[in-house]
Amino acid sequence: MAKTGTTTQGLRAAIERSGYYPALVAEAVEAAIGGEAIGSYLVHQETTFDANEVRRHVTVLVLTGTRFIVSHTDEQAADSTSPTPYATTSTESVKIGRISSVVLSRVVGNPEKYVPGTPPREVVLTIGWGAVSRIDLEPAACGDPNCDADHGYTGSSTADDLSLRVSEAGDGPDAVRQTLAFAQALSEATADTAR
């Protein structure tokens, strides 16, 4: 479920509604925000299945006047390092000017009948700021089928800092609309810093 808005009280309420360790998540997010005013936020809780385990995860995105804040909280089962289940929370603060890309992919059904303003059935929000890059390499070759020379490698590098998938079927139509609203606010903020 995704929630978006623009106030500290609204952010706290959205975190509490997610039902996912709200005291832990709120404390981490509020500490990262500090005294800055919130421009927009998005709270997205998802459940994944890993073999025989159900795992929950929450992502909180916050836009202030100067920063983009990302918080992730994951729960872990007891293991060799901890005799009890535990949660890991991390926050990252990124200056808005460092955001290099905001990609919003929309999936619509029956595109030939699309009516402007109709929400997509799924969106994927990908945000890049240069912290994480993925490199895909493969052996390079020339056009000569008899050549056995080493031509090195060829590949591509892709910024892949954050990718968030929200679907109407899994998260509800409000979650899709809220993700669209947050993506627009973030895109506008990055456009403002480019001027």
Side-chain angles (χ1 to χ4, degrees):
M1 177 185 330
K3 298 289 178 199
T4 189
T6 59
T7 67
T8 302
Q9 295 83 9
L11 173 59
R12 170 71 83 144
I15 290 170
E16 288 175 3
R17 277 192 304 275
S18 79
Y20 186 80
Y21 307 120
L24 173 66
V25 173
E27 181 180 56
V29 170
E30 289 168 1
I33 294 169
E36 282 194 85
I38 296 172
S40 186
Y41 63 82
L42 180 66
V43 177
H44 183 256
Q45 192 264 327
E46 64 182 322
T47 302
T48 57
F49 301 94
D50 182 18
N52 294 331
E53 294 182 20
V54 176
R55 294 183 187 244
R56 296 182 303 159
H57 173 87
V58 68
T59 301
V60 180
L61 308 178
V62 179
L63 181 61
T64 71
T66 61
R67 296 179 298 143
F68 168 63
I69 297 166
V70 182
S71 175
H72 296 287
T73 303
D74 292 292
E75 64 183 359
Q76 305 293 325
D79 59 21
S80 61
T81 64
S82 175
T84 61
Y86 60 98
T88 304
T89 300
S90 64
T91 57
E92 181 174 3
S93 297
V94 180
K95 290 182 181 181
I96 291 174
R98 284 200 47 220
I99 296 175
S100 56
S101 66
V102 178
V103 179
L104 185 67
S105 300
R106 303 167 188 245
V107 177
V108 298
N110 299 314
E112 70 281 357
K113 296 179 184 177
Y114 178 76
V115 175
T118 304
R121 67 179 187 203
E122 178 180 311
V123 293
V124 178
L125 175 60
T126 304
I127 304 165
W129 58 90
V132 178
S133 292
R134 182 180 64 239
I135 298 176
D136 296 316
L137 295 175
E138 60 185 39
C142 67
D144 181 358
N146 296 320
C147 179
D148 61 356
D150 182 357
H151 294 285
Y153 288 88
T154 185
S156 62
S157 175
T158 307
D160 198 17
D161 294 312
L162 174 74
S163 191
L164 189 69
R165 178 182 172 267
V166 179
S167 71
E168 183 179 23
D171 304 295
D174 284 342
V176 172
R177 282 190 287 276
Q178 292 161 353
T179 304
L180 290 169
F182 183 83
Q184 182 174 348
L186 184 59
S187 290
E188 289 171 359
T190 59
D192 287 343
T193 61
R195 292 181 194 159

